[in-house]
Structure formats: structure tokens, C-alpha cells
Amino acid sequence: AILRRHGARATFFRVGERALAAPDLVVQTAEAGHEQGNHTWAHDDLTQHDEAFDLGTLERTHEFLANLTGRPPALCRPPYGRIDSVGLAVCAGLHYDVTLWSHHVTGSNPRGGVNTILRRPSPGSIVLAHDGGSEPNASLMKHLDRLVASMTDAGYRFVTVSELLATSA
């Protein structure tokens, strides 16, 4: 609703088992024009496993998202921002761009995270908004609304990661 209200688009990096528990939400965001990215099946640290495991967790999520939305994901955000050469090779084999972030807004301190971004906005930033909880964090939602409104009012646009990468190329 926040994104729709401000004409913003985003990329949602999906943990497969969480997407399986809420497929309607995945379909709803995809139909609204938001990108769906791969965040592994069970949020496992890719650096702690071998190639077969990494491939399995990413392929399982890839297939689920592609079947659910009709569009295969093109991006992977590794859990915890951790990836090694094995994970990078698996992502390359799946034709994924690996996505990290420049700013992080968490449910534990959303006011502080948003204030930091608003003090020094930067074109091309990737903002990770992540509460890690099972229910939407009301304070996080309030401050994300403030972030999107303030940045949009200042002339910034919120786009999907793939749109951002295409623009910068």
C-alpha cells in the first residue's frame, strides 16, 4: 500500500518456504509490478554449504516463484549478505545478478535507519527494508512511508533492482 500510494516500485527477495506460506502476497506484489527475487528456500547462509546445497535451495525457490508468478527471478540476495565463490558460481549458472545493499532499515530501529538515509540521499542506492518478523512491524511501516514520501517529494524515484541495473548500464 505504501508503494502504491507513492507510485514506487520495489524488489521483494523471497524466502521460498515463506512464499509457500503466503502465495497470494507474492502474486499480489508481482501483479502490482514489483519484482520477485530469490532469497533461498529456508534463509540458509550460502557460505556454509556446498555447491549442491546452494543449487538446490536456489533452484527450488526459483521454480516456485516462476510457477507462481509466470516470471522467473533474475536476482539473488544472499541471506546475511554472505556469498562465496561457490555461491557466486551457482548464481552465475542460474543467470542471476547478485544483489547487496547500500542502506539497511530494520524493524529494531526504523527511525534511525530512515534518518540516516534522509541525511545523505544518494542516487542509485539500494535500500534493504527488513524487519525479519512474522508480522509487519507498524513502526517500520510508518518510517518506510516517511522515507518513500520524503524521497519522492525530493525528486527521487523508487524502481526495482533490475530497473536500476538497466539504467546504470
Side-chain angles (χ1 to χ4, degrees), residues 34-130:
H34 303 292
E35 183 173 26
Q36 309 300 307
N38 194 331
H39 197 45
T40 74
W41 187 258
H43 204 265
D44 290 297
D45 183 338
L46 295 175
T47 67
Q48 301 301 307
H49 300 281
D50 63 14
E51 181 179 3
F53 181 91
D54 288 0
L55 182 60
T57 190
L58 291 170
E59 277 186 332
R60 186 174 182 192
T61 304
H62 180 97
E63 290 170 11
F64 181 75
L65 293 174
N67 290 336
L68 192 59
T69 67
R71 297 193 67 199
L75 303 169
C76 172
R77 182 170 71 78
Y80 315 104
R82 293 174 45 89
I83 194 162
D84 57 12
S85 60
V86 173
L88 287 170
V90 169
C91 286
L94 292 169
H95 307 288
Y96 282 154
D97 285 321
V98 174
T99 305
L100 298 177
W101 56 91
S102 52
H103 301 287
H104 189 187
V105 178
T106 66
S108 63
N109 184 16
R111 176 188 302 270
V114 168
N115 287 346
T116 297
I117 295 167
L118 292 177
R119 271 195 299 276
R120 290 206 249 143
S122 176
S125 294
I126 296 176
V127 177
L128 170 59
H130 193 292

Side-chain angles (χ1 to χ4, degrees), residues 11 17 20 50 60 89 113 115 124 153 161 164:
T11 301
E17 62 186 16
L20 179 64
D50 63 14
R60 186 174 182 192
N115 287 346
D153 289 349
V161 172
L164 177 66

